Amino acid sequence: MVKVTIDGIEIEIPKGTTVIQAAEQAGIEIPRYCYHPGLSIVGVCRICLVEIERMPKLQVACYTPATEGMVVHTNTEQVLEARQAVMEFLLVNHPLDCPVCDQAGECWLQNFYMQHALHDSRMFENKVKKSKALQIGPNVMLDSERCILCSRCVRFCDEISKSNELGIFNRGDRAELQPYPGTELDNDYSGNTIDICPVGALTDRDFRFRTRVWYLSETESICPGCSTGCNINVHHNDQRTYKAGGSRVSRLKPRYNPDVNEWWMCDAGRYGFTHVDADSRILAPTRSIGEEQEMSWGEAASEIMTKLREVISVHGKESVGVILSPQMTNEDLFVARRFFRDGLGLKHIDFEVAPLTTGAKDDFLIKADKNPNTAGARLLGVGARQGSGMTVAEMLEAARKRKLRALYICHHDLANGFAVDVVEEALTAQDLVVFQGPNTNSTSALAHYVLPAAAFVEKTGSFTNYAERVQMIHTAVTPLGESKADWQIFRSLAKEAAISVPYFEAEDVFQALTAEVEAFSGLPYAGLAGQGIALRDGQALPESETVVA
Amino acid sequence: MAGKIISKFFDIDGGNTIDVYERHGGYQSIRRVLKKMAPGQVTDEVLKSNLRGLGGAGFPAGRKWSFIPKDSPKPKFLVVNADESEPGTFKDRYIMDRYTHGLFEGIMIASYAIGANKAFIYIRGEYVRQAENLVEQIKCAYDRGYLGKRIFGTNFNLDLVVHRGAGAYICGEETALLESLEGKKGWPRMKPPFPAIEGAFKCPTIVNNVETIAYVPTILQEGGEWFSELGSERNGGLKLYGVSGHVKKPGVYELPMGTSLREIIYEHAGGLQDGRKLKAVVPGGSSAPVLTADEIDVKMDYDSLAKIGSMLGSAGVIVMDDTTDIVRALYVVTRFYHHESCGQCTPCREGTGWAERILKRILDGNGRSVDIDNLLNIAGNIMGNTICPLGDAAALPLKSYLTKFRADFEAAVSDRNGVGKVADEPVSLLN
Amino acid sequence: MSKVAFSQESLSEFERIVAQYPERRAAMLPTLYLAEKEFGHISPEVEVYVGELLQVPAIKVREVLTFYTLFASKPRGKLHFQVCRGISCDLRGCTKIIEHLQEKLNLNSEETSADLAYTLSEVECLGACETAPMMQLNDDYHGDLTTETVDLILDEKK
């Protein structure tokens, strides 16, 4: 450890910490453009110049290691002058087209100009012309004139995605960021370049011009796109959906978690939220026997329970199959377990459906298991592999043979895991098929009752990622139509069956879960927010070979 | 005579060949060094000589060599900086053309001193003929067994490679040079680590200018103290001064360190053309702060020039007579630094182009009174705030021309204000 | 795979060059020179090929190619006039030489004639200030230029 003093604040930091990091620990933010903690350090933007006693010149805080006894000043006249000078230089060739720039509102040229510069323009000359509005990849637009050549995106492509798509060509103020001619910025992580671009040079094709960022709210969540569980912020816009084509969720952004995704997320996850506001959303409980008819939750619960009891009384408890989903939260699954297994005494409960085509994976963030909560479902023991009931495949076979008479299916599109005719034969042979999920699919089309479940951005709960880290999602937007969280749906049904589900909030469910399920025992609810908690405290787990749809 | 070491070969026919060099006592120094001296003793001798980095920085050569870690298991490299691109500088071209084997012998001695078995000469790409000569003469040296394995029957091995640059002034900056040598853009590196610790290919590396290395054989032959006494205090030996511009006899003159600028201009370079009067002199390549006609009694060495706010730099003396349009001179110099800015870090990338455009506007007759102070301020904002010294190299002429010849600029601004006059304030968005 | 390839001769020269360096990539500049010699100029196909030879992404080749001024990414004239416009040459009248060549060659600076006979460039200091004004014509320096000596050189080379 070394002791340094920054703006009069003495702090102790590990050897090798840079001045910019040390300052952060002392609660002092030194402006930066090129510096990014996840990338190599190049020291090119020069905005982080600070004064270090006994050094003749200003030093860049991003590169300079803090050493024992170092005394740093980040706010002297000399530093402020240099900072303003760098700001002025950065704006010499910058187009200042903020009114039409999508970055406005989250632009670090704007922010630092307001915080550190506020100079009057002395620039009379013409600016250097470069290429504008270039679509450089499926997700990214480039405006070279706005680019301040911080090289963050180049370093990202070299060091993180290791795909080398971007380069800086030419030199001096003619230097220009470009992909290699004839190629695109097209890798599984390309969206991150937009996040780390401090200015409006790289903007998001999906997001641009849809809303001004100051209309957005942020809610912490977890990407449901695979079992990694990348920490994200959901950027949503409840009040002005008419400006964004009716979509309430505008974009997902990665949220720093050193143990999971650091600063990054994959494009599949980033752009995989459109189902949340899609036309396929189920808006009300619906009866699909004969003519399709919307119902109230009361009617639906009562009718479904009546039919389910009928099946059970005629054919026995072993004639009902329940297919849960690893898309559901720990809380959803726990209440499902309480209701179906403990309350109704059903035996055939499973959640794993192996997909027909194995999901893509890499050795970075992308897992083949495209579900956020497979590990949670396993730990909660709601799979056939954890119990003694039928697997989903066995259920469908039994259903076809009418050994099963009722199927309760959550979220799954079974066509992803089985041939269409297998699913069709099985489901059409049933006396009762209930489908519950946020969106319609080929399975819901075969159900007698379709129940609207809240999407992941509409509820609070927790997922357990592949490494058994329990992480929270939070309600960002109100559930669409009549939809509600899966566990709340089970609670409605349980009420009809006079089974006690005494929970009002997700937190209540979680408390019961930790009290009852060994693997989660002692987990503090309050500690889950933010970075989540690893059940095995960082012990590495062998990645499961099983892949579920 | 002690008056000439390197340049005595300039007038000898075939001075670049191995035979002529040996006939004049060449390759004796390395023989003696390899047989009689330990590497550390070689470095000590160079320290004693007060030989300074003659590329421009003036850092004592022996001290630089002593920074090579003795215990590093990595290979070490010597890289000879023959990028010679500072405007007004051409001395190294003469050395490579006419003192070729003297340079090689210096490379051998320096490599031995720092423990390198591989040396590179990084030569600017435009010097095609010079590179050809080097390659040819290296082959001759190999043929004689002076390069390669077991040199002069000792255990010392050395390979020498000529590496051509490709048109980038910045590659004369030693870390940019190393990047370029490694096959990258010439973007200067952050320091530390310094090249002596981590240079070419992440190995300890010494980068020395051609001229610095070229004096090494003589230093080892005649002794460090002998060399040191040829020059002025702490500025050892002789120096090649290049003189260009408005003089009668432009050329390279090898003179003791500390020879006065007046002597160089008026005695050696023959004085000004056509009886013109001196207006300004740049003493050390175009980045050195300009001197007025009143300042030429200065001794041309590192310390004396620093004392009067300029620098010896590459000792490329650029003489300007009283016909010189000083505004244009500054424009040409600034255009150069703008053209050569690597673009990596902000102040130099943006500031050089901005300054050039202002100067162009003044030249075009659209100057404003605020331009002069703005230019001074831009120069101040570049100074000291960049990764490498190119920023300073661009800022120093701006500051010195504008300060010492302010009247010329003021005249240029007011003279021409009538032509295509524009507003004194930028257009405000609020109007 | 790239669409161009070195001749056997260039390929062995390339191997000789690569062997001089501790890292393959260090052969970048010499390989680009070699490629320019063989192919006339460095087209995108050549960039890709050089990248393959050096085992670096083509984009890193392009970064280098566009950073340095000496490589031709477009065809250049058989005679490439590079007139120095550095400070020492400017003091001694390089502007006249440039204007004279512009007129004689009927080209603006940085242009190549349609028949690929001439390219005219203004370049920064070439390090031969004692002969100012000077120029580089292909590989050779020509100094102490006057409009007359420029005409002589032109006549000789035509």
Side-chain angles (χ1 to χ4, degrees), chain A residues 63 93 122 125-126 173, chain B residues 192 338 350 357 361 377 385:
Chain A
Y63 186 79
N93 284 305
R122 296 188 290 175
E125 324 308 322
N126 289 329
D173 57 13
Chain B
H338 173 218
E350 305 295 343
R357 277 171 280 175
R361 184 164 46 71
N377 187 257
N385 288 339

Side-chain angles (χ1 to χ4, degrees), chain B residues 250-315:
Chain B
V252 179
Y253 301 96
E254 189 176 32
L255 300 164
M257 272 279 190
T259 305
S260 89
L261 181 52
R262 181 182 296 279
E263 181 187 326
I264 293 173
I265 295 171
Y266 286 98
E267 287 182 27
H268 302 282
L272 271 71
Q273 290 176 308
D274 313 325
R276 289 276 171 195
K277 279 214 299 241
L278 183 65
K279 172 153 189 163
V281 196
V282 178
S286 68
S287 61
V290 70
L291 303 177
T292 63
D294 301 336
E295 293 176 293
I296 61 166
D297 288 311
V298 65
K299 280 179 159 188
M300 286 286 283
D301 62 40
Y302 291 100
D303 300 331
S304 306
L305 279 160
K307 235 176 259 164
I308 63 161
S310 187
M311 60 193 207
L312 181 61
S314 63

Side-chain angles (χ1 to χ4, degrees), chain A residues 111-321:
Chain A
N111 295 352
F112 290 151
Y113 174 79
M114 296 308 289
Q115 286 172 32
H116 303 290
L118 287 177
H119 58 272
D120 292 325
S121 174
R122 296 188 290 175
M123 177 67 188
F124 295 84
E125 324 308 322
N126 289 329
K127 301 195 177 216
V128 177
K129 293 271 172 269
K130 294 179 188 173
S131 40
K132 296 181 78 72
L134 281 181
Q135 184 188 322
I136 58 166
N139 303 315
V140 184
M141 297 294 293
L142 166 67
D143 185 315
S144 280
E145 290 185 352
R146 293 180 190 151
C147 175
I148 57 166
L149 297 163
C150 72
S151 83
R152 276 183 172 189
C153 56
V154 178
R155 282 174 282 147
F156 178 86
C157 291
D158 287 353
E159 296 162 16
I160 307 295
S161 68
K162 298 186 169 67
S163 47
N164 306 112
E165 288 107 327
L166 296 175
I168 294 175
F169 304 136
N170 298 316
R171 71 182 186 209
D173 57 13
R174 288 85 65 213
E176 187 166 352
L177 171 76
Q178 294 269 300
Y180 191 74
T183 67
E184 290 200 312
L185 171 59
D186 186 5
N187 63 61
D188 292 336
Y189 298 91
S190 71
N192 294 292
T193 59
I194 302 158
D195 299 337
I196 59 178
C197 179
V199 303
L202 300 179
T203 51
D204 196 323
R205 282 193 70 212
D206 181 63
F207 173 76
R208 71 201 293 259
F209 304 144
R210 299 223 310 191
T211 181
R212 281 303 197 179
V213 295
W214 48 84
Y215 293 115
L216 296 177
S217 312
E218 282 182 32
T219 304
E220 291 190 356
S221 191
I222 299 300
C223 174
C226 83
S227 62
T228 298
C230 289
N231 291 210
I232 59 170
N233 278 316
V234 176
H235 287 207
H236 48 93
N237 172 15
D238 311 74
Q239 307 305 318
R240 290 168 56 93
T241 52
Y242 59 93
K243 284 283 193 194
S247 60
R248 302 161 302 155
V249 175
S250 296
R251 61 182 179 183
L252 306 184
K253 287 272 188 188
R255 177 166 54 88
Y256 177 67
N257 187 328
D259 298 318
V260 182
N261 55 310
E262 296 183 294
W263 301 266
W264 324 116
M265 73 186 294
C266 76
D267 289 358
R270 181 186 300 266
Y271 301 111
F273 64 89
T274 49
H275 65 278
V276 165
D277 288 309
D279 290 341
S280 61
R281 279 301 295 271
I282 303 162
L283 297 174
T286 310
R287 184 195 301 115
S288 300
I289 307 166
E291 195 143 314
E292 214 166 83
Q293 208 173 359
E294 288 193 2
M295 318 163 75
S296 73
W297 273 113
E299 283 174 294
S302 150
E303 251 184 70
I304 290 167
M305 274 320 297
T306 307
K307 296 216 170 170
L308 199 56
R309 266 195 300 259
E310 255 174 53
V311 172
I312 291 172
S313 67
V314 177
H315 303 286
K317 285 176 177 171
E318 302 225 348
S319 68
V320 179

Side-chain angles (χ1 to χ4, degrees), chain C residues 75-94:
Chain C
R76 275 182 186 151
K78 258 197 205 94
L79 294 180
H80 186 192
F81 296 85
Q82 302 181 75
V83 188
C84 180
R85 64 173 193 186
I87 178 67
S88 298
C89 285
D90 192 79
L91 290 172
R92 293 181 77 113
C94 70

Side-chain angles (χ1 to χ4, degrees), chain B residues 33-45:
Chain B
V33 162
L34 288 181
K35 290 196 176 117
K36 301 211 167 130
M37 292 175 85
Q41 290 175 295
V42 179
T43 304
D44 285 346
E45 206 58 41

Side-chain angles (χ1 to χ4, degrees), chain A residues 503-515:
Chain A
Y503 318 127
F504 299 93
E505 301 288 341
E507 181 176 354
D508 304 335
V509 183
F510 187 80
Q511 300 297 6
L513 186 161
T514 52

